[in-house]
């Protein structure tokens, strides 16, 4: 904020604080959505959803295929994010299902690289879901766009390309 005040030189020093409060009021309940969805992911993991998903995935995943495991993990992160609305909610489930047991323990992958890139894959799902209201629906409402799904439609190509790139980077860097 200090750098922004120095560069932008607002008329009053309190302007950034006042405008931040105004923006938070305009966003409203959606400001708390990421924290609630993160908690939801932990609840699902504690309920055994990650283990159940892992059992299903391991039964269809070709044994010894690293590329298939990477694709399933990244695609799973994106899909669970689309369903749940937030990559922080999808992360505990997909990590318990395939990230830790298959990629880290099974293929001896670098956990930091796998999980950081996995979160990026999850964020690809955030770009294309109305469940991420604070990112996709609120801006359309604030900008008074005719198509409330306009931001999502504009982000689909970027999300698809970035998801494929994340899979490639994980395969090349994390193992």
């Amino acid at each position: 904020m200090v750098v922004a005040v120095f560069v932008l030189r607002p008329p009053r020093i309190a302007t950034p604080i006042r405008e931040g409060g105004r923006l938070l009021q305009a966003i409203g309940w959606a400001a708390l959505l990421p924290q609630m969805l993160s908690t939801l992911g932990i609840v699902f993991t504690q309920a055994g959803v990650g283990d159940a998903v892992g059992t299903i995935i391991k039964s269809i995943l070709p044994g010894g295929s690293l590329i298939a495991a990477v694709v399933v993990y990244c695609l799973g992160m994106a899909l669970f994010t689309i369903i749940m609305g937030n990559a922080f909610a999808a992360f505990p489930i997909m990590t318990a299902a395939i990230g830790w047991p298959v990629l880290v323990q099974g293929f001896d992958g670098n956990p930091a690289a796998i999980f950081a890139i996995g979160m990026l894959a999850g964020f690809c799902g955030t770009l294309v879901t109305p469940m991420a209201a604070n990112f996709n629906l609120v801006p359309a409402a604030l900008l008074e766009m005719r198509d409330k799904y306009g931001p999502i439609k504009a982000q689909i190509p970027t999300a698809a390309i970035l998801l494929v790139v994340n899979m490639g980077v994980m395969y090349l860097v994390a193992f």
Side-chain angles (χ1 to χ4, degrees), residues 89-174:
F91 183 75
I93 295 169
M94 288 309 297
T95 298
I98 191 166
W100 186 260
V102 176
L103 295 176
V104 173
Q105 292 179 328
F107 288 106
D108 197 34
N110 178 339
I114 291 168
F115 301 144
I117 298 167
M119 283 298 289
L120 290 174
F123 295 146
C124 294
T126 302
L127 292 172
V128 298
T129 181
M131 291 292 293
N134 54 332
F135 296 111
N136 297 328
L137 299 182
V138 170
L142 290 174
L143 295 171
E144 298 176 2
M145 294 174 68
R146 288 187 194 121
D147 183 3
K148 70 178 182 177
Y149 298 110
I152 293 172
K153 291 174 183 174
Q155 294 170 159
I156 288 173
T158 302
I161 292 167
L162 189 56
L163 182 60
V164 172
V165 168
N166 283 328
M167 291 174 189
V169 169
M170 183 182 291
Y171 181 76
L172 295 173
V173 172

Side-chain angles (χ1 to χ4, degrees), residues 14-101:
T15 300
I17 295 168
R18 187 178 63 250
E19 289 301 311
R22 185 189 62 76
L23 182 61
L24 187 59
Q25 288 175 358
I27 293 172
W29 63 269
L32 296 176
L33 196 57
Q35 291 84 355
M36 287 194 238
L37 289 170
S38 172
T39 304
L40 180 65
I42 294 168
V43 168
F44 275 121
T45 301
Q46 291 296 318
V49 174
D51 294 333
V53 170
T55 302
I56 293 168
I57 290 173
K58 287 175 196 167
S59 70
I60 61 171
L61 192 63
S65 175
L66 175 59
I67 189 69
V70 167
V71 168
V72 168
Y73 179 64
C74 290
L75 192 59
M77 276 296 297
L79 291 175
F80 267 87
T81 299
I82 290 169
I83 292 167
M84 301 181 86
N86 189 296
F88 292 105
F91 183 75
I93 295 169
M94 288 309 297
T95 298
I98 191 166
W100 186 260

